[in-house]
Amino acid sequence: LFQNILDMARIDAGAIATEDRWAHPPEIIAAARDQVEHALHPHALEVQVDPDVPVRLDPRLTATALAHLLENAAQYAPSSVVITVRASVTEEGLVMSVRDHGPGIAPADLPHLFERFYRGAAAKSRASGTGMGLWIARELLAAEHGQLWAENCQGGGAQFTIAVPAPVKATAPLTSA
């Protein structure tokens, strides 16, 4: 909670500075997982990276945004359900998604998910959660000119996707988004 409040204050003050460096997607995913290991404990985390090519971005901001998505998935997916993280590098940069197999997102909540302090109808019945995480994730990614969106998945659950434009070290053939 304290870290979220600090992040919100930095965002509001326009004090989010990026520190770009070359990073591999698995490194970013591991850093995010480490930040929310406590929340992920009852879940298996499946990670798929294709291809593992370095991108130049701020891995700290990207990992923190991803950590918020992982924590969110862990809160809404039933215990012991697999949470899937997929990462791909395209000519445009890094795309990562977090898929859970929880109840999905109520259609009325979808347009408001990334608003500050917004908690959907299902979240209001839960004791935990402040409505800050998804807003913070979106704002951190915006500092990198990235995007974040959510959608319901066929068969249940939700998927949150991050796209961060970034230079790519072309060490393997890439696909376009």
Side-chain angles (χ1 to χ4, degrees), residues 4-113:
N4 283 347
I5 292 168
L6 286 175
D7 285 343
M8 286 180 68
R10 287 192 344 225
I11 290 165
D12 285 342
I16 301 294
T18 60
E19 297 177 22
D20 293 351
R21 69 172 181 82
W22 291 106
H24 287 264
E27 168 190 344
I28 295 166
I29 295 167
R33 183 184 56 232
D34 290 348
Q35 290 179 41
V36 293
E37 187 68 39
H38 62 282
L40 292 173
H41 179 63
H43 301 279
L45 188 64
E46 178 183 317
V47 176
Q48 302 169 2
V49 178
D50 183 38
D52 180 9
V53 177
V55 290
R56 188 165 181 80
L57 45 65
D58 187 325
R60 179 185 49 87
L61 293 180
T62 307
T64 300
L66 180 61
H68 283 289
L69 302 183
L70 289 172
E71 186 171 40
N72 196 63
Q75 285 180 347
Y76 292 99
S79 291
S80 74
V81 168
V82 173
I83 295 171
T84 305
V85 179
R86 288 188 176 93
S88 62
V89 177
T90 69
E91 292 172 351
E92 290 81 30
L94 177 64
V95 177
M96 294 189 294
S97 64
V98 174
R99 164 88 196 268
D100 69 48
H101 297 276
I105 303 163
D109 293 334
L110 270 170
H112 306 287
L113 281 180

Side-chain angles (χ1 to χ4, degrees), residues 152-169:
N152 283 311
C153 298
Q154 193 169 5
Q159 179 170 292
F160 288 78
T161 303
I162 291 171
V164 181
V168 176
K169 267 192 186 173

